[in-house]
Amino acid sequence: MDPEIPVCRKRIAVLASGRGSNFQAVIDAIAVGDIPAVCVGLVTDNPGAYAIERARAAGIPVTVVEYARFPSKAAYEEALLAAMRNCRADLFVLAGYMRILGSAIVHEFSGRMMNIHPALLPAFAGLHAQRQAIEYGVKVAGCTVHLVDEGMDTGPIVVQRCVPVLPGDDESMLADRILIEEHEALPLAVKLFCEERLEVTGRRVRIR
């Protein structure tokens, strides 16, 4: 039998604005060894985000860059960029981060940021994706992990998971069903990045 080859662990940081359940899914996957990485920080724009409690419970440093404390979007983006640089992360994971990143951040970390979105992109980008899906009458919905570019949910797709839209579904019911798949899809995408198995050519992402 060949000797086990050690995998170099990547440094990842997470941006989140809310409860952080996808953040927790990534933390848990790291803890059991599914993702060869260490989470080096949580950056949040919301000092009341429950994601902060999850980070503290896991011993992960927290940086709060509260949007309301800055006189302009440009000033906020400058502080956010400084906080992200300070993480020295190989990968930034947007797990319910509710702001569009500015071009300076997108360019600096191009190919090194992932976002999770509760729809099968390119359909239903932006807010209230589950509501959009129900109103449109689709039979299948789901979630997408994609690399971040300057558009809204427009970057190259890494992983997608599907769920049926059932008769009688409301927005909350569909969101709950999709969230189960999000908790599988995001750790998988992070794992593939950390194992250096993603090859990006234009809009296409090939898994080696």
Side-chain angles (χ1 to χ4, degrees):
M1 181 181 296
D2 292 335
E4 184 173 308
I5 300 173
V7 178
C8 180
R9 295 200 299 169
K10 299 290 188 184
R11 294 170 58 91
I12 70 168
V14 175
L15 278 67
S17 299
R19 60 185 177 178
S21 67
N22 276 308
F23 175 38
Q24 188 67 57
V26 172
I27 292 172
D28 292 345
I30 291 172
V32 299
D34 285 347
I35 298 175
V38 56
C39 186
V40 297
L42 169 72
V43 180
T44 180
D45 60 329
N46 177 12
Y50 188 70
I52 294 172
E53 301 305 316
R54 298 181 188 274
R56 288 174 176 162
I60 296 168
V62 176
T63 302
V64 177
V65 186
E66 186 178 0
Y67 187 85
R69 291 185 175 272
F70 293 87
S72 66
K73 186 177 189 295
Y76 170 78
E77 291 275 343
E78 185 177 347
L80 179 60
L81 179 56
M84 293 174 70
R85 284 172 173 162
N86 191 55
C87 291
R88 295 183 295 112
D90 299 298
L91 175 69
F92 291 92
V93 180
L94 279 61
Y97 179 71
M98 301 307 292
R99 299 189 183 278
I100 297 174
L101 297 173
S103 60
I105 293 175
V106 172
H107 289 159
E108 178 150 344
F109 303 114
S110 177
R112 296 168 49 203
M113 292 191 295
M114 286 182 178
N115 181 52
I116 178 81
H117 182 72
L120 295 175
L121 295 173
F124 313 127
L127 297 175
H128 308 298
Q130 303 94 332
R131 183 189 307 169
Q132 292 182 62
I134 289 174
E135 290 176 349
Y136 201 86
V138 299
K139 306 304 182 186
V140 177
C143 62
T144 303
V145 183
H146 64 93
L147 298 174
V148 176
D149 62 11
E150 289 192 63
M152 180 182 290
D153 302 320
T154 57
I157 291 169
V158 179
V159 172
Q160 290 185 306
R161 292 290 184 93
C162 298
V163 301
V165 180
L166 303 178
D169 268 350
D170 60 21
E171 182 179 2
S172 177
M173 294 165 65
L174 181 58
D176 288 345
R177 194 176 308 117
I178 292 173
L179 187 62
I180 294 171
E181 298 302 322
E182 291 180 46
H183 292 167
E184 298 290 331
L186 185 58
L188 172 59
V190 174
K191 171 185 173 71
L192 292 171
F193 179 93
C194 292
E195 292 177 344
E196 300 183 351
R197 293 173 59 194
L198 300 180
E199 183 178 290
V200 184
T201 305
R203 289 209 51 81
R204 295 182 180 273
V205 179
R206 186 174 75 89
I207 299 173
R208 292 196 292 262

